[in-house]
Amino acid sequence: MEQKKLRSQNWFGRKGKDGFIYRAWMKNQGIPPDMLEGKPVIGICNTWSELTPCNGHFRELAEAVKKGVLEAGGFPVEFPVMSLGETLVKPTAMLYRNLVSMDVEESIRANPLDGVVLLCGCDKTTPSLIMGACSVNLPTLVISGGPMLKGHWKGKDIGTSDVWRFDAASKLGEITSEEFLEAEACMARTQGHCAVMGTASTMAVMVESLGLSLPNNAAIPAADARRKVLSQLSGRRIVEMVRQQVVLSDILGRPAFENAIRVNAALGGSTNFVIHLLAIAGRIGVELCLDDFDVLSRGIPLLANIQPSGQHYMEDLYYAGGLPALLREMQTLLHTGAMTVNGRTIGQNIAQAEVYNRGIIGTLQEPFKPESGIVVVRGNLAPDGAVIKPSAASPHLLKHAGKAVVFENIEDYHLRVDDPDLVIDKDSVLVLKNVGPRGYPGMAEVGNMTLPKKILEQGVSDMIRISDGRMSGTGFGTVVLHVSPEAAAGGPLALVRNGDTIRLDAHQGLLQLEVSDAELADRRASWQPTEKIQPRGYVYLYQHHVEQAHLGADMDFLKGGSGSQVSRDSH
Ligand code: FES
């Protein structure tokens, strides 16, 4: 096969002054000349940061990737991009997902790279890197950082989903502040991302089921030496991908997206998956809409007994056979002919996979829950849709009508939620406005509001909660999220008042505000936007261009890609 000229040779293969400049400054890092003479140059896009603790071990992973690249005859170059630590970044990491995707896209396109390895871990570091890379479309392979080992506290296994339980217990005085502190140290005790099927693990599963990683990427714990082996093998493989010119769009066809949606359903993955997959599809040019999630995941049962939909942790999934074993259980529902980055199909990759623990990986005949996946609900309260995750909800609330208790924004919620005079009972429906993409801005993970203390004291652990925001993938409850259009964009959510009746029927896909059209028209006539538009900087750009949740909350001008060509290229 005729070898195509490497993209990097447009820099390093130049004669004259330009070539001198491109090579000479690289050599100040101690690079032998032959590295620049026609070896595939592999960029290792690293989201390591001490402010992103889930990705704190990524320098080690990058070293393993480099070994693999060198072994396969490539030249590895590591570069940083903005890193988003879910726990620290304010007002919410999601505000910056699109900014990081721009950083990644332009960093890849602007530099002499032939292929890219994306090091992804904490929630937003995965979609942002894949979105950016899709807009360039070079040979690309993804490595996830891997989950933490599960925590142990007072004889019990604990993980991120327990944070919500600890919060409720502390509100009720069931645990002391000393115990609260002690639990912190016991939970996050090793490197890696959240140990449950939160958004980071959901993203790692998405990566593997899209075919963007080597098999087993999703579940090998961060602390397990096999994570480094996977990284080294990925380094070897990306060099071959460059030689074979396998680009992202060769992997990311519609079948890959359909596989990812079905697998997410079977694992009880995060609702954030919806927003991120829509945004990725928009970058690579695959038609995908909100209803696809409903249609494709309907009827898929829960096959993974992992929190928050189940009981166990990501490391347990790995010991039980890992994602390949689970995929094999549901292979009749997958496009097994979909190609993956290792040059084999998904079907070939899972052919020998075995389940070692039926308490962790179920079968289609004997699942852990009959209903899983993401259900899309619509109605006059969410004309463009909203989502709910039935596997994390209370079955008796999936069909329910109750009186709205409205919070105008998150500050209003914090101010009044524990007010003893708040008029509320266990059948009420909590409504939170102005936490959507434009309104917050950045679509915060506040949709699974902690219940009012006086409700918790009655022994009630779940109520319907509705918002235009998101929920942590580690969260749970009967929580309707991503209401679109959002309140700040003038969606009907903005018109809800205390005492209105709201009807949810997740089985029928319905979310209805039981208020007449005439009354809603009156309310709309007097509605004033409360959104504060930032006067400058990235947030200004974001608020003017971010799309609504049902479209993936990408910025309108970032859809599609610009490819890997650089238009002007001389000094
Ligand atoms: Fe980083 Fe959960 S906080 S993955």
Side-chain angles (χ1 to χ4, degrees):
M1 188 177 33
E2 194 189 328
Q3 193 70 49
K4 209 175 145 215
K5 185 183 166 196
L6 289 170
R7 183 175 180 269
S8 59
Q9 285 298 299
N10 286 329
W11 283 260
F12 302 135
R14 287 284 179 92
K15 295 196 175 8
K17 178 198 67 166
D18 287 353
F20 181 102
I21 292 170
Y22 297 138
R23 291 183 299 269
W25 270 263
M26 288 300 280
K27 287 177 179 172
N28 83 345
Q29 300 177 97
I31 291 164
D34 66 306
M35 286 291 170
L36 307 172
E37 291 169 359
K39 290 183 190 286
V41 179
I42 306 300
I44 303 170
C45 179
N46 201 342
T47 47
W48 169 86
S49 166
E50 287 178 343
L51 291 169
T52 307
C54 304
N55 300 12
H57 58 301
F58 278 20
R59 283 169 157 175
E60 288 170 49
L61 294 187
E63 289 308 314
V65 177
K66 285 179 192 174
K67 272 197 224 168
V69 170
L70 289 168
E71 285 164 354
F75 170 36
V77 281
E78 185 182 348
F79 65 98
V81 289
M82 183 179 181
S83 185
L84 297 175
E86 197 64 30
T87 51
L88 300 180
V89 169
K90 288 183 188 295
T92 170
M94 181 65 180
L95 176 61
Y96 303 106
R97 183 198 67 178
N98 301 341
L99 177 62
V100 175
S101 78
M102 293 167 78
D103 180 357
V104 172
E105 175 180 345
E106 304 307 339
S107 294
I108 295 174
R109 189 180 15 261
N111 280 297
L113 303 177
D114 300 306
V116 188
V117 173
L118 306 176
L119 296 187
C120 307
C122 197
D123 299 10
K124 307 303 176 293
T125 58
T126 301
S128 56
L129 267 55
I130 296 175
M131 287 162 67
C134 280
S135 291
V136 190
N137 201 25
L138 284 178
T140 303
L141 190 151
V142 183
I143 302 171
S144 303
M148 296 176 199
L149 297 178
K150 55 194 163 191
H152 297 285
W153 185 56
K154 297 200 168 190
K156 285 199 188 110
D157 293 342
I158 59 167
T160 316
S161 296
D162 290 295
V163 175
W164 320 115
R165 296 186 187 105
F166 292 149
D167 185 39
S170 131
K171 250 185 174 185
L172 294 172
E174 291 170 0
I175 59 174
T176 65
S177 50
E178 287 76 23
E179 287 175 313
F180 206 70
L181 264 180
E182 188 183 73
E184 277 176 25
C186 298
M187 190 189 74
R189 70 189 174 98
T190 71
Q191 57 196 22
H193 58 244
C194 292
V196 299
M197 190 54 67
T199 302
S201 296
T202 298
M203 290 292 99
V205 167
M206 177 191 79
V207 161
E208 189 170 337
S209 49
L210 282 171
L212 293 180
S213 70
L214 299 188
N216 272 314
N217 173 69
I220 302 174
D224 192 310
R226 287 167 286 189
R227 179 64 58 187
K228 283 191 199 155
V229 174
L230 180 107
S231 302
Q232 188 166 339
L233 296 177
S234 298
R236 291 183 193 169
R237 176 59 196 158
I238 187 66
V239 177
E240 286 175 7
M241 286 174 69
V242 170
R243 294 192 172 122
Q244 294 165 354
Q245 277 304 295
V246 180
V247 296
L248 271 171
S249 57
D250 294 326
I251 308 291
L252 291 178
R254 169 92 188 181
F257 284 87
E258 293 191 356
N259 281 346
I261 291 172
R262 291 196 164 121
V263 173
N264 186 65
L267 276 109
S270 159
T271 44
N272 287 319
F273 168 79
V274 178
I275 298 210
H276 299 323
L277 199 73
L278 284 166
I280 292 167
R283 294 298 185 95
I284 203 74
V286 166
E287 289 292 327
L288 197 71
C289 68
L290 188 60
D291 288 332
D292 286 327
F293 291 81
D294 193 300
V295 171
L296 291 164
S297 62
R298 225 168 243 273
I300 294 188
L302 185 71
L303 295 186
N305 190 5
I306 309 294
Q307 291 191 32
S309 298
Q311 297 167 314
H312 299 283
Y313 297 84
M314 287 302 290
E315 66 175 289
D316 301 313
L317 176 63
Y318 183 51
Y319 309 144
L323 190 65
L326 189 142
L327 296 183
R328 193 165 176 218
E329 286 304 320
M330 60 181 297
Q331 62 182 322
T332 53
L333 301 172
L334 299 177
H335 299 288
T336 49
M339 193 51 72
T340 75
V341 287
N342 69 356
R344 294 154 61 90
T345 64
I346 282 253
Q348 289 169 328
N349 283 341
I350 63 176
Q352 308 302 325
E354 277 183 63
V355 175
Y356 303 117
N357 185 341
R358 283 293 174 201
I360 306 291
I361 299 176
T363 65
L364 289 174
Q365 293 70 37
E366 288 185 53
F368 298 105
K369 288 184 185 175
E371 254 185 301
S372 190
I374 308 280
V375 166
V376 175
V377 292
R378 289 174 194 277
N380 67 348
L381 189 49
D384 290 330
V387 301
I388 184 167
K389 182 173 162 184
S391 60
S394 303
H396 72 281
L397 289 174
L398 290 172
K399 185 174 180 185
H400 178 83
K403 302 277 185 206
V405 175
V406 178
F407 301 99
E408 291 298 323
N409 51 46
I410 193 67
E411 289 77 20
D412 184 33
Y413 163 78
H414 287 306
L415 194 69
R416 296 193 297 116
V417 65
D418 289 328
D419 183 341
D421 296 330
L422 186 71
V423 179
I424 192 165
D425 64 35
K426 68 175 182 32
D427 295 321
S428 303
V429 173
L430 296 173
V431 174
L432 176 58
K433 303 178 184 177
N434 295 305
V435 291
R438 268 171 54 180
Y440 191 71
M443 209 179 173
E445 284 189 339
V446 293
N448 57 324
M449 300 159 256
T450 303
L451 302 188
K453 191 173 173 204
K454 67 180 183 186
I455 295 287
L456 290 170
E457 282 169 347
Q458 294 166 21
V460 176
S461 58
D462 195 10
M463 293 170 73
I464 294 183
R465 289 156 268 180
I466 298 175
S467 76
D468 46 12
R470 297 177 301 119
M471 168 172 84
S472 164
T474 61
F476 48 86
T478 312
V479 186
V480 178
L481 301 152
H482 312 180
V483 168
S484 186
E486 62 177 302
L493 186 69
L495 309 178
V496 182
R497 292 184 182 167
N498 280 318
D500 289 348
T501 297
I502 294 177
R503 181 173 303 281
L504 170 70
D505 187 339
H507 308 294
Q508 299 297 321
L510 184 77
L511 183 65
Q512 194 72 8
L513 181 61
E514 309 259 299
V515 173
S516 70
D517 291 346
E519 169 64 16
L520 287 177
D522 274 359
R523 293 185 191 179
R524 179 163 297 287
S526 59
W527 176 75
Q528 294 287 334
T530 54
E531 173 194 15
K532 292 186 202 77
I533 295 281
Q534 298 299 314
R536 66 169 300 282
Y538 168 72
V539 180
Y540 170 88
L541 188 70
Y542 178 90
Q543 284 186 304
H544 279 80
H545 290 282
V546 70
E547 295 190 320
Q548 289 294 290
H550 71 283
L551 299 173
D554 200 358
M555 268 132 50
D556 50 13
F557 64 89
L558 289 174
K559 285 270 169 73
S562 303
S564 60
Q565 298 292 323
V566 276
S567 54
R568 300 189 130 167
D569 66 352
S570 61
H571 278 277

